Amino acid sequence: MTTGQSTAPVRDEASVAARPVRPIRRRRTAVVVALAAGTAALFVLTLATGSHRVPVAEVVRILFGGSDTDPRWVVIVQEVRLPRALTAAAVGAALAVAGVQMQTLFRNALADPFSLGVSSGASMGVAAVVVGTGGVAGSFTGDLAGLGRVGVVLAASIGAGFVLALVLLLSRWVRSAVTLLVIGVMIGSAATAVVSVMLVYARPERAQQFVMWGLGSFSATTWPDLAVMLPVIGVGLLAALLTAKRLNALLLGEDYARTMGLNVRRSRDLALFGTSLLAGAATAFCGPIAFLGLAVPHLTRVALGTSDHRVLIPASMLAGAFLALACALLSQPPGTDSVLPLNAITSLFGAPVVITFLIRSRRGVQGVAS
């Protein structure tokens, strides 16, 4: 009798401890499903809206190979809007995942490809190609530019990797997250200054093209461009998925990760490689895009209630694609031929998110101090 009385509370405690797990999993599943559905809906809406509206039913029919459609709609959807939508979704996912990796690598909540100068490094690589095609630079950039888009992506990835490796190297001697962020901003400013000097030696029409490219756009890519961009981003995303468990270990600190048998240097190099590919490809094709890599990881963490990279990275891909498609829609108002600078849209969205995060973090610190 005594045994029965003693085991009943233990069984109740076990059941109570297990109860919160299912609601959390259901919440995360619901968030992921909602993101997937919202991304698919925005993708179709991006194809349907623009200077000329295409009925959603016709868009779906075109996507699935229907033949009973207006040839003009087929050209608009397949040749103009579909590359733009694919670019927005891929670049949004790439920048979001790059932001997740950088925030974990640097243990800095404000790290992203833009704030730490990685996008500026990619811009520096692209500027080297621009100057090289102008006949002023050496044979290396001239030959690189002869590769077309592949050369531009390669140059952007090299520039992004150089800046990221430099910041990562300096992080070994800097313990303060704020100091590291300031160093990243300074390196980004130096890279921007190098770009400005390079443009002095470029042909005026190419310099003007570079300035327009720097405003950001999802509309400049074509199908041959996507044949280069999508595989590069795919490799970067695959590298991020492969490092999910390693990034989880790094969340607890490098010393603890080493005690778990993790090769920290190899893990950081792999994450560095993936981030360079993602930031380099996104910047090469769409220009340096701000705030997506910074804001999306925080929104995803809040929505999922976890920092587990096995969940966070796939969800960030969906969230990044969703928000990039939303920005693509806002950058080209329906029924007009005007196109707004993409960075203006992302900044208007991202700035309130960052401000809110900083205020919440400050309140948390004050709450602990009190």
Side-chain angles (χ1 to χ4, degrees), residues 123-124 127 131 189-202 207 210:
S123 299
M124 185 170 60
V131 174
S189 299
T192 302
V194 172
V195 169
S196 300
V197 173
M198 286 182 178
L199 293 180
V200 173
Y201 298 98
F210 183 88

Side-chain angles (χ1 to χ4, degrees), residues 123-143:
S123 299
M124 185 170 60
V126 174
V129 173
V130 171
V131 174
T133 56
V136 178
S139 59
F140 175 73
T141 53
D143 294 338

Side-chain angles (χ1 to χ4, degrees), residues 327-354:
C327 291
L329 278 173
L330 294 173
S331 65
Q332 189 168 2
T336 65
D337 294 327
S338 61
V339 178
L340 302 176
L342 183 60
N343 272 325
I345 303 298
T346 58
S347 298
L348 288 174
F349 157 75
V353 173
V354 176

Side-chain angles (χ1 to χ4, degrees), residues 1-6:
M1 189 71 179
T2 305
T3 305
Q5 292 175 349
S6 61

Side-chain angles (χ1 to χ4, degrees), residues 31 39 53 164 186 201 208 250 257 273 279 285 304 318 340:
V31 169
T39 302
R53 181 180 175 277
L164 186 56
M186 293 300 101
Y201 298 98
Q208 180 64 27
L250 290 175
F273 170 76
F285 287 99
L304 295 176
L318 289 173
L340 302 176

